[in-house]
Amino acid sequence: MNEAVTLVEGAAERLSWLPDWGASLILLALGAAAAIAVHRLAFRMLTTFVADRSLFWRSLVSRTRGPTRLAVLILALSIVSSAAPLTDRQSDAIRHGLLVAFMILVGWAATTALHIWTVIYLRKFKLDSEDNLLARKHLTQMKIFERAGVTLLVVVTIGATLMTFDGVRQYGVSLLASAGAAGLILGLAMQPVLANLVAGIQLAITQPIRLDDAIVVENEWGWVEEITATYVVVRLWDWRRLVLPLKYFIEKPFQNWTREGASIIGTVMLYVDHAAPIALMRAKLEELVRASPLWDGQVVNLQVSDAMEHVIQVRLLVSSGSSPKAWDLRCEMREKMIVWLAEHHPYALPRLRTDMGRQPAPDPRQQQAREERPALKAARA
């Protein structure tokens, strides 16, 4: 550090032929340029060093690029300003600017450290596993708490930065005195926003939904794609996005198909004739579902769930490891059962019958009278 100050003082002596403000400006510019060059060289070497390492280390180096560059720049400018020919007023202004920059650096470093800690904590949970309930639980909690922590750090950093200005300190008492009334007005104006923030904390603690949960909401089926500080994005089955406020999931009912586990039972309804071979259909369903890779080996059943005037309702129950697999398995079983019935038992498919009824047997006496009637007419003639 002393050697750097001595070097700057020697450079200032060589620029003594310039005005003090001109020499100071050149020294500050050279110091900033040297700091950026040194940081770029060191960062390039560090990037090369971690190039063949895991994605975590490469991301860690990439995310610390901005804070480290600002730290090196602050250090260089503080050394130069201590040896440059500056007036007291200029020195105070530069020191104040460096203090503000240092506070911003601390807040920036804190948010980066919070993100790195979150990533390290979540590395032991795998979202790509078959039953990722625990992973989604921790991911949802950490994402919401990380956003809340970043918001708090930003507010504290801005407040600490503003308190370094004399005007803010001078009118601090007045600001605190008016904070009560201003807080009431602001609270009424921001009631929807505050309600969503409180709902976000409730969701993080109770977790009625998690990231990647399969839910049915507003008569739409999809997955929870993103949970922000104020709203939830649901990716629907046809790739549309349904955006809902956080408080919706606190105030209104919805279906969560992966609340306690990813496995789910799928239902298929078939309408067949009363003469359908139920026992053969049950055996064929078991044969088909055991041959399907989508079945999880837990539930398979066939029952007659209703009988109506023209058809009977047959319910097929099959289970699968996840909601998308359950949907595909349902479609597969419905298709194959209908094809099997059409090929081997076509009489089991729904039909409309019309019974014309039987004609009543003729009366023998009436029949004899009709036969004798022509003979009587001939005799009379």
Side-chain angles (χ1 to χ4, degrees), residues 4-44:
V5 174
T6 304
L7 182 62
V8 174
E9 291 177 350
E13 292 179 359
R14 294 188 184 92
L15 296 175
S16 58
W17 55 276
L18 290 174
D20 290 343
W21 64 268
S24 300
L25 186 61
I26 292 175
L27 291 174
L28 291 173
L30 291 175
I36 293 175
V38 170
H39 176 269
R40 183 175 299 175
L41 178 61
F43 189 80
R44 186 175 301 173

Side-chain angles (χ1 to χ4, degrees), residues 259-308:
R259 180 68 178 87
E260 297 296 336
S263 298
I264 191 171
I265 297 177
T267 305
V268 177
M269 294 296 184
L270 294 180
Y271 296 90
V272 295
D273 191 80
H274 290 77
I278 301 301
L280 295 179
M281 291 176 62
R282 185 176 292 113
K284 186 62 178 179
L285 174 64
E286 294 183 1
E287 176 187 344
L288 293 175
V289 77
R290 293 182 188 279
S292 175
L294 301 174
W295 187 51
D296 62 357
Q298 295 186 20
V299 177
V300 54
N301 195 9
L302 185 148
Q303 294 175 318
V304 178
S305 56
D306 197 3
M308 290 164 278

Side-chain angles (χ1 to χ4, degrees), residues 2-3 12 33 40 52 55 69 87 106 150 154 162 177 179 184 190 222 235 243 251 262 271 285 304 338 350 356 359:
N2 294 331
E3 294 178 356
R40 183 175 299 175
D52 57 347
L55 178 61
R69 180 168 50 193
T87 62
V106 172
V150 169
V154 170
L162 293 177
L184 292 175
M190 297 182 64
R235 184 180 76 255
V243 181
E251 299 175 351
Y271 296 90
L285 174 64
V304 178
I338 292 176
M356 302 300 296
Q359 295 295 331

